[in-house]
Amino acid sequence: MTGPAGTAAGVVPAAGRGERLGAGAPKALRTLGGVPLLVHAVRALAAARAVGLVVVAAPPEDVAQVRALLDDHEVAAEVVVVAGGATRQESVRRALAALTPDVDVVLVHDAARPLVPVELVDRVAAAVRHGAPAVVPGLPVADTVKRVAPVDGSEQVVETLDRSALRAVQTPQGFRRDVLEAAHAAATDDATDDAGLVERAGGSVTVVPGSEEAFKVTRPLDLLLAEAVLARRRANGSLQ
Ligand code: CTP
Ligand code: MG
């Protein structure tokens, strides 16, 4: 099976407040090794050979600051900044509207996943090129996961899910542009990821192996882990 042969673009939703990370600047502007999370994420996408354009959805009140920040840091692709929306889905939708006509593959990547290895970006892009309409990186789940429900004021277990059939899904998620645009156009309520919209629209989604280093910075402990991973990379001589 062969897929689209045009240009790939990155879309980076970066308009969240980062409430679970705690007080401070919007999460995407918080620094890791002295460099904003957003800059790490954009650089990781831009480092992929397939990616020539990255569209960033910034907090609406910070568009000028984000533009200046990206101008100050070297990035190996053209970068466009748009105002994000009230939900992640709305932020992605606004970024999609800024893609140029030549783009036929879209990689959607959270600014909150700054340390994604370029190998993972390449793997996702390659799977779309080889014909998969939608691709997500996934990792086996380490914890046992139970479904719960409230019963008489306490939380009760309803069932234990079969862990071997579960995957924790990351970004970048890769799509044929037409598939992602149609899924966003058809969306009625909010999804936490873009592949979820494709699923609801009846499309098939392929899983490729994820990477532990593509973890999402959500809570303060994640930032500590990210600092440690970055320090190890720098000690090993990788530039970042
Ligand atoms: N995001 C976005 N626009 C929104 C909400 C989220 O672009 N209105 C982006 C975030 O900036 C982040 C990604 O979606 O890069 C994943 O969201 P999440 O990790 O939940 O980040 P936040 O929403 O910022 O964090 P929190 O939910 O803790 O407030
Ligand atoms: Mg959020």
Side-chain angles (χ1 to χ4, degrees):
M1 212 168 32
T2 55
T7 310
V11 158
V12 180
R17 307 299 324 165
E19 276 163 19
R20 287 169 290 178
L21 197 55
K27 182 159 75 178
L29 304 182
R30 301 278 288 264
T31 58
L32 176 59
V35 175
L37 295 188
L38 172 63
V39 173
H40 285 285
V42 170
R43 280 180 170 164
L45 279 180
R49 258 188 316 143
V51 175
L53 166 70
V54 179
V55 182
V56 173
E61 60 281 17
D62 298 322
V63 169
Q65 187 193 349
V66 166
R67 175 74 266 169
L69 196 68
L70 288 161
D71 287 341
D72 280 353
H73 291 82
E74 202 172 312
V75 176
E78 186 193 343
V79 181
V80 170
V81 182
V82 301
T87 63
R88 181 186 182 283
Q89 195 170 311
E90 176 64 14
S91 294
V92 171
R93 206 181 57 78
R94 291 186 182 196
L96 288 176
L99 293 175
T100 48
D102 56 312
V103 171
D104 60 8
V105 172
V106 181
L107 306 177
V108 183
H109 181 60
D110 293 330
R113 297 182 190 270
L115 297 179
V116 59
V118 66
E119 292 77 15
L120 179 56
V121 182
D122 285 336
R123 182 148 70 235
V124 170
V128 181
R129 288 268 175 249
H130 285 105
V135 177
V136 297
L139 286 180
V141 176
D143 293 315
T144 295
V145 180
K146 296 183 192 288
R147 200 160 63 78
V148 299
V151 176
D152 295 337
S154 79
E155 195 167 75
Q156 298 287 319
V157 171
V158 176
E159 65 169 330
T160 299
L161 302 175
D162 172 13
R163 195 169 68 190
S164 68
L166 298 177
R167 295 292 176 269
V169 162
Q170 307 175 316
T171 73
Q173 298 188 349
F175 305 90
R176 253 177 36 208
R177 178 183 181 167
D178 57 341
V179 167
L180 182 60
E181 286 180 338
H184 271 266
T188 47
D189 47 13
D190 216 34
T192 51
D193 74 345
D194 297 278
L197 298 177
V198 174
E199 291 156 39
R200 284 183 206 170
S204 61
V205 178
T206 301
V207 183
V208 298
S211 163
E212 285 187 46
E213 295 195 356
F215 66 93
K216 186 155 71 74
V217 173
T218 305
R219 300 180 186 85
L221 192 62
D222 301 320
L223 211 42
L224 273 182
L225 177 62
E227 290 285 3
V229 171
L230 184 61
R232 184 181 64 182
R233 281 192 195 170
R234 285 179 173 168
N236 290 342
S238 78
L239 297 171
Q240 215 167 6

